[in-house]
Amino acid sequence: MNPIPGHSELEALVGMLDETDTEIYQTLKDALFSIGEEALPYLEKARLQKSGSLWQNRMDALISELQVEIACKKLSAWKGEASPNLLKGFYLLSSAFYSDLPWERVCSEFNRLHGDCWFTTGTTDSLSRKLALFNNFFFNQCGFRLGTKIVSDYNFADFFLPNLLNLRQGNDRSLALAYQYLAERNGLPVFLLNLPVVNLLACTSDVESVSKDDIRYCIDITHQGSIINRTAVEPVFSQQKQIQICNTVQALQDFTRLLNYIVAARETNPLRKQAVKKLHDCLGASSDNFPMSGIPLSDKDNLF
């Protein structure tokens, strides 16, 4: 591994990025990207030191691309951990586009919510009662709400953590990730199901039960976490043999798989499309059982 250049060498390297020769520019870019995260502050500082459309456009593109590279590297390490933390994975994915969100703030806020929730749900041993109390805490006390519904609306920001933290708003899939994380922190055995567009969570018998046969309730995020008894969804489970409970890594893979599909279909910014695809490829596919292609994005597209 090559040593990271010192302060003056990095400044000099970044200062040459207005090079008009494409081969030289590519060599400079490759050198910076090989340095990785340490180069990012120099690019952000340099963006303010020169004017001109070429310089500004290059700096913006390089900073965005490097943020995605950094996120991919960290996500690859995250999914290889013995016990990946779902919130940390969601944060790393969000950091590819919102690098100014500090991890410390995310941790602090969700730790506070966990503590408040523990006092709310710790008053009963009944699983159904705990779920009802948790739903009230998540949607009413915390104020989490559905901003956009994936099958009918598109808001890129609603997929990520800053909207959840700042506005208490997300789409059905980002809300599902936050719901799953907080529920599990509070001992509720809640897991994402690998459905293509419908966003249901499964509540199993206990945290060690990760089989479809162990599902006792389903939770509909799009309707304020309404609880559906197993008997009501049994016909769908019988017909859809591919339905599985997602573990932590699979939940984020499934989220990114859907994000990639939605962005490819609806996003107008080609750089954003490329970035999302790169993140999707980095995390890997959760399952090919439910192919996304050919799924119509409308409110009529509902398995239930």
Side-chain angles (χ1 to χ4, degrees), residues 158-169:
D158 271 355
F159 277 95
F160 300 101
L161 269 171
N163 267 20
L164 285 171
L165 286 177
N166 299 329
L167 305 177
R168 289 290 193 265
Q169 171 182 305

Side-chain angles (χ1 to χ4, degrees), residues 15 29 50 59-60 66 82 96 176 188 230 250-252 282 304:
K29 177 183 172 182
K50 294 184 183 181
M59 289 299 103
D60 288 343
L66 184 53
L188 282 167
R230 170 62 185 257
Q250 289 167 341
L252 196 65
C282 158
F304 295 88

Side-chain angles (χ1 to χ4, degrees), residues 211-230:
S211 166
K212 187 171 70 174
D213 294 335
D214 295 319
I215 295 173
R216 293 184 58 186
Y217 307 101
C218 282
I219 302 155
D220 186 355
I221 288 295
T222 61
H223 292 90
Q224 293 281 301
S226 60
I227 300 170
I228 307 167
N229 283 320
R230 170 62 185 257

Side-chain angles (χ1 to χ4, degrees), residues 229-247:
N229 283 320
R230 170 62 185 257
T231 53
V233 294
E234 189 59 48
V236 177
F237 286 159
S238 299
Q239 295 168 13
Q240 300 290 338
K241 303 298 183 183
Q242 308 98 323
I243 293 175
Q244 297 174 357
I245 292 174
C246 297
N247 62 28

Side-chain angles (χ1 to χ4, degrees), residues 31-44:
L32 279 170
F33 274 51
S34 68
I35 295 167
E37 191 169 4
E38 289 79 3
L40 192 57
Y42 291 87
L43 288 171
E44 291 169 340

Side-chain angles (χ1 to χ4, degrees), residues 19 41 83 104 113 162 168 172 189 212 215 229 277:
E19 174 61 57
S83 300
E104 293 74 19
L113 292 176
R168 289 290 193 265
D172 17 0
K212 187 171 70 174
I215 295 173
N229 283 320
K277 185 179 186 306

Side-chain angles (χ1 to χ4, degrees), residues 67-69 71-73 75-76 78-79 89 92-94 96-97 156 159-160 173 196 249-264 271-293:
Q67 286 171 352
V68 174
E69 288 280 341
C72 282
K73 183 178 179 181
L75 281 168
S76 294
W78 170 84
K79 71 178 183 178
L92 293 174
L93 184 67
S94 299
F97 306 100
F156 186 77
F159 277 95
F160 300 101
R173 191 55 66 96
V249 172
Q250 289 167 341
L252 196 65
Q253 287 175 327
D254 197 74
F255 175 87
T256 311
R257 184 167 175 245
L258 178 60
L259 170 65
N260 184 48
Y261 172 69
I262 299 292
V263 167
L271 294 178
R272 188 175 278 177
K273 286 185 178 184
Q274 292 171 17
V276 169
K277 185 179 186 306
K278 188 161 192 172
L279 289 160
H280 168 261
D281 293 344
C282 158
L283 273 170
S286 59
S287 171
D288 292 325
N289 290 333
F290 287 107
M292 292 292 182
S293 59

